[in-house]
Short mmCIF file of all heavy atoms in Angstrom, two decimals:
data_model
loop_
_atom_site.label_atom_id
_atom_site.label_comp_id
_atom_site.label_asym_id
_atom_site.label_seq_id
_atom_site.Cartn_x
_atom_site.Cartn_y
_atom_site.Cartn_z
N ILE F 76 7.49 12.66 27.31
CA ILE F 76 8.49 11.82 26.66
C ILE F 76 9.62 11.58 27.65
O ILE F 76 10.19 12.54 28.22
CB ILE F 76 9.04 12.45 25.37
CG1 ILE F 76 7.90 12.69 24.38
CG2 ILE F 76 10.11 11.56 24.74
CD1 ILE F 76 8.33 13.35 23.07
N THR F 77 9.94 10.33 27.86
CA THR F 77 11.02 9.95 28.77
C THR F 77 12.29 9.68 27.96
O THR F 77 12.23 9.02 26.92
CB THR F 77 10.64 8.69 29.54
OG1 THR F 77 9.41 8.94 30.25
CG2 THR F 77 11.72 8.29 30.53
N ALA F 78 13.39 10.19 28.45
CA ALA F 78 14.69 9.94 27.81
C ALA F 78 14.65 10.22 26.31
O ALA F 78 14.83 9.32 25.49
CB ALA F 78 15.16 8.52 28.08
N ALA F 79 14.39 11.48 25.98
CA ALA F 79 14.21 11.86 24.58
C ALA F 79 15.41 11.48 23.72
O ALA F 79 16.57 11.51 24.18
CB ALA F 79 13.96 13.37 24.50
N GLN F 80 15.11 11.14 22.47
CA GLN F 80 16.13 10.78 21.49
C GLN F 80 16.01 11.68 20.27
O GLN F 80 14.94 12.24 20.01
CB GLN F 80 15.95 9.32 21.08
CG GLN F 80 16.09 8.35 22.24
CD GLN F 80 15.84 6.91 21.81
OE1 GLN F 80 15.52 6.63 20.65
NE2 GLN F 80 15.99 6.00 22.76
N PRO F 81 17.08 11.82 19.49
CA PRO F 81 17.01 12.68 18.30
C PRO F 81 15.87 12.30 17.36
O PRO F 81 15.29 13.15 16.70
CB PRO F 81 18.37 12.47 17.64
CG PRO F 81 19.29 12.19 18.79
CD PRO F 81 18.46 11.38 19.75
N GLY F 82 15.50 11.02 17.34
CA GLY F 82 14.39 10.57 16.51
C GLY F 82 13.05 11.09 16.95
O GLY F 82 12.06 10.97 16.22
N ASP F 83 12.96 11.68 18.15
CA ASP F 83 11.72 12.27 18.64
C ASP F 83 11.52 13.68 18.09
O ASP F 83 10.45 14.28 18.27
CB ASP F 83 11.71 12.34 20.17
CG ASP F 83 11.75 10.97 20.81
OD1 ASP F 83 11.15 10.03 20.24
OD2 ASP F 83 12.37 10.83 21.88
N THR F 84 12.51 14.22 17.43
CA THR F 84 12.42 15.57 16.86
C THR F 84 11.25 15.66 15.90
O THR F 84 11.03 14.78 15.07
CB THR F 84 13.72 15.93 16.13
OG1 THR F 84 14.77 16.06 17.10
CG2 THR F 84 13.60 17.23 15.35
N GLY F 85 10.48 16.74 16.04
CA GLY F 85 9.35 16.95 15.14
C GLY F 85 8.35 17.91 15.73
O GLY F 85 8.58 18.50 16.78
N LEU F 86 7.23 18.04 15.04
CA LEU F 86 6.13 18.90 15.48
C LEU F 86 5.04 18.00 16.05
O LEU F 86 4.58 17.07 15.38
CB LEU F 86 5.59 19.69 14.29
CG LEU F 86 4.41 20.63 14.55
CD1 LEU F 86 4.84 21.78 15.46
CD2 LEU F 86 3.87 21.17 13.23
N TYR F 87 4.66 18.26 17.29
CA TYR F 87 3.63 17.46 17.96
C TYR F 87 2.33 18.26 17.96
O TYR F 87 2.27 19.38 18.46
CB TYR F 87 4.06 17.10 19.38
CG TYR F 87 5.17 16.08 19.37
CD1 TYR F 87 6.48 16.46 19.17
CD2 TYR F 87 4.89 14.72 19.52
CE1 TYR F 87 7.51 15.53 19.11
CE2 TYR F 87 5.91 13.78 19.47
CZ TYR F 87 7.20 14.19 19.27
OH TYR F 87 8.21 13.26 19.21
N LEU F 88 1.29 17.65 17.41
CA LEU F 88 0.01 18.30 17.22
C LEU F 88 -1.08 17.55 17.96
O LEU F 88 -1.15 16.32 17.87
CB LEU F 88 -0.36 18.33 15.74
CG LEU F 88 0.54 19.14 14.81
CD1 LEU F 88 0.39 18.65 13.37
CD2 LEU F 88 0.21 20.61 14.90
N CYS F 89 -1.91 18.28 18.69
CA CYS F 89 -3.12 17.66 19.22
C CYS F 89 -4.28 18.04 18.30
O CYS F 89 -4.22 19.06 17.60
CB CYS F 89 -3.38 18.05 20.66
SG CYS F 89 -3.66 19.81 20.96
#
Side-chain angles (χ1 to χ4, degrees):
Chain F
I76 301 179
T77 303
Q80 298 177 358
D83 296 325
T84 292
L86 179 67
Y87 289 81
L88 296 158
C89 62

